[in-house]
Amino acid sequence: MTNKHIRLAFVHQPLFQEEQALLEILQEQFDIEQVETDPDFVIGTPLRPMKQFDYPNAVKIMFYGENITPNFSTCDYAIGFDFMSFGDRYLRLPLYCFRKDFEKILKNNKEHLDFVALTKRKFCCFVVSNGYRADPIRIEFFHALCDYKKVDSAGRYMNNMGGEYLEDKSSFVAGYKFNIAFESSSVDGYTTEKIIEPMAVNTIPIYWGNRLLERDFNPASVINLCDYASIKDCIDFIKALDSNDELYIEKLREPWILAEQNYKNYKELLRVFFDNIFSKPKEKAFYLSPYGYQAYYRWELLRAKEVLPHSDWLERYLHFCNKIKLLWKK
């Protein structure tokens, strides 16, 4: 590996929590200089996917923190959620690896827990800040579970506890036996920090989202709606655990992660991935072609970016989403 001087730009400023964590890992191995003009490498995000083309001479690396499959016609390299292989251009590294809660889970030995005390906690909590763009199954499940017992909702969305903002989510979730930890959408491989937040405080997650969850976490440690024929069947199982302390403790004793699943070497995976990029002569690190229809495709995307103001784009996007929802209902 090398500690050569790297001129690096991040499209998003200020950095997201995960981007800051990524930068700190890179700084342990490489001589990183953050620059705003003429970088050799630029790290982009799906929130502003074409912004990286403001740096035409930079090698483009996309860091996907959302449920978007990498588009290798708009980036040279990518880090994302999808289980796929694309030579040296792609690394599958879930977003939760960049959270401090993940380190807690990797070190967590459940043998020290007072399991009896954990059965005495309140029933279930739900913390969502924004229902915008989310699959409606999350709210449907929340209401269905509330028909059994009230689920305390402390987020800005669907709040039923009178608060406007929850400053310490970790401490709040720790006071409950269960936590509804649904993703905003179901995409294979897409697992975010939502599932590890309850795990870090030994609260059982009630999960929905990634249908390949067993590749990352021990399925026996989680209540996964994807494993049930219906919402009712899932809630019946939750009722059984809630009313039987022995069953609840048996579930809670399960390790969150099995030995063959964990990403405990995620820092090394990142270092190897970036060393491959940084160690090449810069002209050989590029994969995007400036010719043919790939270039034309990017030009059309950039032209749309210039033509459509943000408000107009948002209006069209919402109209498109509503049409898709209608098609799904049919």
Side-chain angles (χ1 to χ4, degrees):
M1 292 189 182
T2 178
N3 58 0
K4 65 182 285 190
H5 184 71
I6 305 296
R7 290 175 52 82
L8 178 67
F10 282 84
V11 163
H12 184 268
Q13 295 291 340
L15 299 183
F16 290 120
Q17 176 180 337
E18 293 80 11
E19 290 176 309
Q20 183 62 44
L22 170 61
L23 176 60
E24 291 171 3
I25 293 169
L26 294 180
Q27 287 173 330
E28 294 174 3
Q29 187 67 35
F30 306 101
D31 178 18
I32 303 292
E33 178 190 2
Q34 275 191 269
V35 298
E36 295 182 2
T37 58
D38 197 26
D40 292 318
F41 304 89
V42 59
I43 295 181
T45 75
L47 296 180
R48 305 181 75 184
M50 303 308 290
K51 180 68 176 174
Q52 60 187 331
F53 287 94
D54 289 352
Y55 307 97
N57 299 318
V59 176
K60 294 160 182 61
I61 307 162
M62 285 293 286
F63 185 27
Y64 286 90
E66 301 296 340
N67 59 340
I68 301 172
T69 297
N71 183 346
F72 288 101
S73 292
T74 61
C75 64
D76 297 292
Y77 305 88
I79 301 169
F81 291 96
D82 293 80
F83 287 101
M84 66 180 190
S85 177
F86 203 67
D88 69 346
R89 298 179 65 182
Y90 179 69
L91 173 66
R92 198 252 173 185
L93 199 63
L95 198 68
Y96 59 73
C97 290
F98 297 92
R99 293 293 185 111
K100 292 180 180 178
D101 282 341
F102 185 58
E103 292 289 343
K104 293 180 183 179
I105 293 170
L106 291 178
K107 298 173 183 176
N108 189 3
N109 181 354
K110 292 188 177 184
E111 294 307 313
H112 74 283
L113 296 179
D114 183 344
F115 288 99
V116 174
L118 292 176
T119 65
K120 308 304 179 185
R121 294 178 291 179
K122 289 177 281 187
F123 171 53
C124 183
C125 64
F126 181 56
V127 183
V128 174
S129 295
N130 193 344
Y132 180 54
R133 294 191 301 268
D135 191 298
I137 194 171
R138 185 162 64 182
I139 299 306
E140 181 184 356
F141 186 90
F142 167 71
H143 287 304
L145 190 57
C146 281
D147 287 341
Y148 164 61
K149 278 186 181 180
K150 181 188 176 186
V151 176
D152 288 343
S153 179
R156 289 189 290 267
Y157 184 67
M158 300 295 293
N159 188 298
N160 62 13
M161 301 186 71
E164 294 184 359
Y165 183 71
L166 185 66
E167 293 186 1
D168 188 350
K169 180 179 178 180
S170 180
S171 295
F172 175 74
V173 174
Y176 293 82
K177 294 164 66 176
F178 305 96
N179 169 246
I180 298 176
F182 280 32
E183 306 290 0
S184 60
S185 62
S186 179
V187 177
D188 289 353
Y190 178 62
T191 308
T192 69
E193 75 287 350
K194 292 180 179 64
I195 194 169
I196 68 166
E197 289 170 337
M199 287 177 172
V201 292
N202 295 297
T203 293
I204 294 178
I206 304 170
Y207 183 79
W208 173 88
N210 177 13
R211 292 171 295 187
L212 303 176
L213 186 71
E214 71 279 359
R215 297 192 187 183
D216 288 347
F217 296 99
N218 176 12
S221 69
V222 178
I223 301 170
N224 189 350
L225 179 59
C226 299
D227 296 335
Y228 296 87
S230 66
I231 288 177
K232 179 183 180 301
D233 288 347
C234 182
I235 291 177
D236 284 344
F237 181 69
I238 294 169
K239 290 179 181 179
L241 293 183
D242 183 46
S243 59
N244 187 317
D245 289 349
E246 289 185 7
L247 286 179
Y248 180 82
I249 291 173
E250 181 182 348
K251 184 79 170 174
L252 191 57
R253 282 188 183 276
E254 288 284 345
W256 300 122
I257 303 175
L258 302 177
E260 66 273 15
Q261 295 173 315
N262 70 55
Y263 275 94
K264 64 181 179 182
N265 63 336
Y266 70 95
K267 290 185 179 181
E268 184 62 20
L269 293 174
L270 275 172
R271 289 171 185 146
V272 171
F273 180 70
F274 277 93
D275 186 65
N276 171 68
I277 299 170
F278 293 159
S279 63
K280 296 178 182 179
K282 184 180 173 183
E283 65 274 10
K284 293 188 179 297
F286 289 104
Y287 276 103
L288 295 181
S289 172
Y291 304 106
Y293 272 88
Q294 190 186 95
Y296 177 76
Y297 169 71
R298 290 194 298 274
W299 177 79
E300 283 285 359
L301 293 176
L302 288 165
R303 188 167 69 95
K305 172 188 169 187
E306 295 298 326
V307 170
L308 286 177
H310 180 73
S311 58
D312 190 23
W313 173 88
L314 184 60
E315 183 178 344
R316 294 189 188 193
Y317 170 75
L318 291 174
H319 177 68
F320 170 76
C321 287
N322 287 331
K323 287 182 68 175
I324 292 295
K325 289 175 184 176
L326 289 174
L327 289 172
W328 272 101
K329 288 179 180 179
K330 291 180 180 179

